[in-house]
């Protein structure tokens, strides 16, 4: 699986969200490494990292979108929910398998999905919030993080 690298095209120029995106990109790369090394612990970790991303990053991003009155918030939440559904389905299939061979096959499909989803989501769904982030400056300082 090709290594994903961060591109300027993906940047929101807003480090609190950019850093979370970069960290998740690294998680996907670590999972690819795990697949190459046939390291089941790294694949288990990948699923945990996905759930952490959902819990921390999705809620962070949705919270910001709400505060800046982002007009596409509802559609964005739906796209996040669809990701949760997809990753849960991969996880279930993975957990059901006992043998390493089929487990790695599912891991490979999951990583392929994650790579395509991540690039597509950041560029076509997250990036459009960039011009609205300027609104954060007009919020009371306490909320401006
Ligand atoms: Fe998003
Ligand atoms: Fe995001």
């Amino acid at each position: 699986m090709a290594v994903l690298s961060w591109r300027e095209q993906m940047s929101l120029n807003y480090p609190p969200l950019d850093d979370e995106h970069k960290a998740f990109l690294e998680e996907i790369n670590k999972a690819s490494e795990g697949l190459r090394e046939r390291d089941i612990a790294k694949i288990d970790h990948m699923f945990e990292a996905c759930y952490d991303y959902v819990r921390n990053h999705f809620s962070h991003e949705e919270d910001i979108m709400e505060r800046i009155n982002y007009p596409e918030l509802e559609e964005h939440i739906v796209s996040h929910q669809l990701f949760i559904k997809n990753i849960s389905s991969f996880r279930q299939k993975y957990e059901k398998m006992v043998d390493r061979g089929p487990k790695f096959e599912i891991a490979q499909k999951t990583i392929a999905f994650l790579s395509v989803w991540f690039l597509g989501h950041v560029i076509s769904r997250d990036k459009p919030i960039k011009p609205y982030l300027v609104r954060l400056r007009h919020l009371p300082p306490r909320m401006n993080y």
Side-chain angles (χ1 to χ4, degrees):
M1 208 80 62
V3 173
L4 299 179
S5 40
W6 182 259
R7 303 178 216 151
E8 201 39 47
Q9 191 196 2
M10 296 155 86
S11 173
L12 300 172
N13 275 329
Y14 183 65
L17 291 178
D18 285 335
D19 290 350
E20 290 173 3
H21 287 153
K22 284 177 188 168
F24 192 59
L25 181 145
E26 283 314 315
E27 291 293 350
I28 300 173
N29 285 335
K30 270 193 251 168
S32 297
E33 202 181 278
L35 190 65
R36 276 195 303 276
E37 296 167 354
R38 293 286 194 206
D39 183 340
I40 212 87
K42 284 190 181 165
I43 304 300
D44 288 340
H45 174 83
M46 165 186 81
F47 284 107
E48 290 311 316
C50 288
Y51 287 116
D52 285 346
Y53 190 67
V54 163
R55 259 193 309 272
N56 303 318
H57 175 68
F58 284 5
S59 52
H60 185 197
E61 203 174 74
E62 289 167 13
D63 180 56
I64 287 172
M65 288 178 185
E66 206 181 314
R67 287 193 282 138
I68 60 179
N69 271 317
Y70 181 58
E72 310 282 322
L73 174 64
E74 293 307 314
E75 292 87 335
H76 205 99
I77 291 175
V78 170
S79 76
H80 283 170
Q81 284 167 344
L82 184 63
F83 173 82
I84 296 170
K85 218 176 119 188
N86 285 324
I87 200 67
S88 303
S89 146
F90 280 116
R91 175 84 186 255
Q92 269 174 16
K93 287 180 194 144
Y94 176 79
E95 294 298 339
K96 260 191 221 152
M97 296 299 170
V98 178
D99 296 334
R100 286 169 57 89
K103 264 179 138 47
F104 281 118
E105 253 173 59
I106 295 162
Q108 187 185 2
K109 286 183 185 146
T110 310
I111 296 166
F113 161 76
L114 282 176
S115 306
V116 172
W117 175 84
F118 179 78
L119 294 178
H121 188 85
V122 170
I123 291 169
S124 46
R125 295 273 190 180
D126 292 343
K127 188 73 186 281
I129 73 170
K130 190 176 168 184
Y132 294 89
L133 288 168
V134 69
R135 292 181 180 174
L136 281 172
R137 290 192 208 141
H138 306 296
L139 292 173
R142 197 176 56 84
M143 295 173 75
N144 190 9
Y145 56 88

